[in-house]
Structures are given as C-alpha cells and as structure tokens.
Amino acid sequence: TFVIVLKTAEQIEVMARAGRVVGRTLDMVGTVIRPGMTTGQLDRLIEDFIRAEGAIPAFKGYQGFPASACISIDDEVVHGIPGKRVIEEGVIVSVDIGAIVDDYYGDSARTFGIGEVSEEKRRLMEWTLKALHAGIDKARKGNRLGAVSAAIQQVAESQGYGVVRQLVGHGIGRAMHEEPQVPNFGSPADGPVLEAGMVIAIEPMINMGTYEVRTLPDGWTVVTADGRPSAHFEHTVAVGPDGPRILTAA
Ligand code: MG
Ligand code: MG
C-alpha cells in the first residue's frame, strides 16, 4: 500500500546529519577527482571518507550493489559500477552517494566536469542543476508533488533536453526508497499534497538527447539509448513548516 511516512523534527535532524556526511563526501570528491584516476580508486576514497565520518555507506551491498558510490560517465545515466575504468579529461562524471547515520539515510548526487569539458556538456550540467533547484523550490506544503516534477521538466525541456522517465526520485527515511515516487515530469495537479515532515530525494536525470535509456548487461548501468551524455543532480529535501530544507548540503 501507498504510505508516506512523515518524520518528526527530531528525526529530520538525524537525517540532516546523514545528509551532511553525504554533502561533505561530495565536496571531497570535487577536490580529488582528476584525469587518470580509476572509478574504483574514487570509490575507495568515498567509502573511507564516509566511514571516517562515522557513517555507513548506504549503497554497498544494496540489492547486491558492489560499491559505495554509483559512478556514471558521459552516456551512463546512473548506477555505474566503480572499477578499472579510467576517468579521462573532458568527460562528465555523475557521482551518487548514500550514507546511513543512526538508521536514517541521506542520498545525493552531483555531476563533475573533468578538466576542459565541451560547452554542450557544461550547459547540460548547469541546466540539470537548475532543474533540481527549480524542483526543490516547489517542495512546499500545500503544493502537490507534481509541482516539483513539472518544474523540473519545464526547465529541462526549455533547453531541448530529454527528461528520463524510467527512473525517478523517492521518499527517504529509515529506508533509502520510500513512498512516494518523485518523477521528473508531470503536472502540478498530479500526486499527493505535500505536508511538513515529508522527506524526498529529488533527482533529475537529464539527457542531452532522447529521454530513452537502457540497462547494460551488467544489470546495473543505465545508459542513454542514443549514446549522448546525461547529467544527474540530487538532494534529499525535507518539506518544512516554512519551506524546503536541503538536508544534503555540506
Ligand atoms: Mg542517489
Ligand atoms: Mg536517490
């Protein structure tokens, strides 16, 4: 059944601690990611950092996922598995991280440009981040969830980009994925009415070309159907009494 678990103010403070670990970890990634490093090396740094913060990497072992971060390069949309692949100059790298503190989850992602990236990739990252923040701004009590979705879609499609439909954001709390689903497309009239105490992970996955995606034979890595690049930004956001609160800021 469809149950949205509301969080108390105290529970949201715990989630903010988990979220802060994720935000700090992504800040760390921004300082160390460089051409020549493998995605496996980056994953190891991420896992060590999360554990040094006293948190648990949420993705490791999740439904069998073998690493602490999803690292997805260029046409990889999400759920890339870290390994021997070398991060090269000019690519864009989406890093998605989760952490658990006192049984509560934080979940956030950023896409990083490596060295000199093309103008069209730079713009894709810029507009995906803008779409995320347009969605966050609609995460207010009294709005329907679809207001978040519609805002993201409008910003992304204003640039001619494809909004991924097969994957969506989600409620989050004592589980990484709770109700409701948070699509990145839709109408402001869709979905449940937002209430203070709801916590959602808002995560536009925006493709330079078609919105269609497929999954590689590894069972995890989602890639664009047309091979063009994709960007991904995500925050865990609490619907507060006075507006949205980003819990995964560093
Ligand atoms: Mg995530
Ligand atoms: Mg998520």
Side-chain angles (χ1 to χ4, degrees), residues 59 79 96-97 106-109 168-172 176-177 200-203 205 232 234-236:
F59 295 176
H79 302 165
D96 193 349
I97 294 169
D107 185 9
S108 182
V168 297
H170 49 92
I172 180 168
M176 188 148 65
H177 296 115
I200 52 178
I202 304 174
E203 50 177 316
M205 290 151 270
H232 181 210
E234 174 180 27
H235 273 306
T236 298

Side-chain angles (χ1 to χ4, degrees), residues 91-165:
V91 301
I92 60 174
V93 182
S94 299
V95 179
D96 193 349
I97 294 169
I100 307 168
V101 171
D102 290 348
D103 298 330
Y104 282 87
Y105 285 74
D107 185 9
S108 182
R110 296 182 201 166
T111 301
F112 300 88
I114 306 304
E116 289 287 312
V117 300
S118 69
E119 175 67 10
E120 64 173 4
K121 285 181 179 176
R122 192 194 59 72
R123 282 179 48 82
L124 177 67
M125 292 190 289
E126 174 188 336
W127 283 91
T128 303
L129 184 58
K130 281 185 186 173
L132 169 61
H133 284 281
I136 291 171
D137 188 57
K138 298 294 184 184
R140 297 174 184 276
K141 66 177 182 182
N143 281 351
R144 286 190 182 273
L145 181 62
V148 173
S149 309
I152 292 169
Q153 180 178 20
Q154 191 268 323
V155 169
E157 292 185 349
S158 75
Q159 303 304 304
Y161 296 142
V163 177
V164 173
R165 282 151 172 70

Side-chain angles (χ1 to χ4, degrees), residues 16-26 49-50 53-55 97 99 101 249:
R17 286 165 49 211
R20 206 146 42 231
V21 171
V22 176
R24 285 169 47 80
T25 307
L26 286 167
F49 191 94
I50 291 171
E53 293 272 314
I97 294 169
V101 171

Side-chain angles (χ1 to χ4, degrees), residues 23-54:
R24 285 169 47 80
T25 307
L26 286 167
D27 280 358
M28 180 278 293
V29 170
T31 66
V32 302
I33 194 168
R34 56 176 167 73
M37 168 182 270
T38 69
T39 55
Q41 288 170 330
L42 182 58
D43 179 68
R44 171 57 69 90
L45 292 173
I46 288 166
E47 173 162 358
D48 290 349
F49 191 94
I50 291 171
R51 293 194 190 281
E53 293 272 314

